[in-house]
Each structure stands twice: as C-alpha cells, then as structure tokens.
Amino acid sequence: MTAPLVLTGHPGVGEVVEGEALVSAEGFSARYDLDRSTGTIARESHPLYGRSIAGKVLVCPLAKGGFATSWALLDLKSRRLAPVAMLFGWANPVMVQGAVLAGVALMDRLSPDPVAVIRTGDRVRVDPRAARVEVWPMAVPTTTNAR
C-alpha cells in the first residue's frame, strides 16, 4: 500500500472516521441543497444533483446555510442519511454547531485545499482532533488485453 496524501489544519470536531469521498466544486447547504428524506442532493443546479451523501466524506469549498442546518444534520443522522464527515474550505459556525449536535466529523481550512486534491471515490480518513486527513486515491481498474 502506498503512503496516503496528508492534509493538515487546525483541529476540527468529531471522532475519527473513514469513508468514500464525494467532492463538489460548489458549496453545500443541508437545508437548501438536500432532500432530507433521501439524503440526496436535490437542487438541480448543484454539481452533485442526485447523489447521496449518506456515509460519505463530503468535500466542498464552503458551508452554506443558517439556523436550520443544525436540525437538518441531526435529522439526517437520526435516519442514517448523514455523511460520516464534512471537509470544507471554510465552514460557518452554524454548520460546525450542526456537526457537533449530529456527531458528524467536520474540518475546514486544510492544506492543501481538499477540493483541489481529493477526488470522488477516494478513500479518506478524517482525524479531527489530530487536525489530519489522509487520502488514498480510488483504485483505477486495470484493463487486460485478452488476446
């Protein structure tokens, strides 16, 4: 196994978790971008439209949303539709509050920029207290020439 790519920053919130990355070049709002009954991105103009965030490590440049974010994340978590972690370029205090309330790991302001170096499908380990994220690239299927 090769060494992971390591991202570092200031300490985040939540427990150590691992999951598959789901990366967007656009921000995320738990209230306005999401269908909370299914855990899928429901805003048609969002790059992740139709994708489920359940059990994923959601990677976005910024957290959007207001007070409803806290209860939206808690609602998702109660129905096992929440991401295991969220990595942002920048997270607003309401998103951090929601992550703490729901027990979802969250980190932001990492270096290098997670949106630039993590790809959807990569395997990611998030350790908020150690201020460390490890990334293993998704396995690329090899083709064989059957001739």
Side-chain angles (χ1 to χ4, degrees):
M1 176 180 258
T2 61
L5 170 67
V6 176
L7 290 70
T8 58
H10 63 88
V13 298
E15 301 298 322
V16 176
V17 293
E18 286 188 36
E20 180 183 323
L22 183 62
V23 182
S24 174
E26 189 170 319
F28 170 71
S29 166
R31 182 170 184 193
Y32 297 111
D33 292 335
L34 197 62
D35 177 342
R36 289 190 318 279
S37 67
T38 63
T40 59
I41 300 294
R43 187 168 52 84
E44 292 183 12
S45 62
H46 197 283
L48 296 179
Y49 174 71
R51 304 284 302 262
S52 172
I53 65 169
K56 306 286 189 202
V57 175
L58 182 63
V59 181
C60 297
L62 69 138
K64 302 182 298 184
F67 296 114
T69 297
S70 294
W71 59 260
L73 287 174
L74 184 60
D75 181 44
L76 285 170
K77 182 76 173 208
S78 72
R79 290 182 289 111
R80 300 180 182 187
L81 297 173
V84 294
M86 298 182 291
L87 303 177
F88 294 105
W90 181 83
N92 63 30
V94 174
M95 185 67 81
V96 175
Q97 179 186 22
V100 170
L101 183 65
V104 174
L106 183 145
M107 293 180 67
D108 72 346
R109 294 176 277 169
L110 293 160
S111 180
D113 178 0
V115 175
V117 298
I118 300 174
R119 302 287 177 250
T120 293
D122 287 351
R123 189 78 187 161
V124 180
R125 181 178 188 271
V126 178
D127 187 344
R129 290 187 187 140
R132 181 181 172 97
V133 174
E134 298 174 347
V135 181
W136 290 269
M138 73 174 143
V140 177
T142 58
T143 58
T144 57
N145 189 351
R147 295 182 186 183

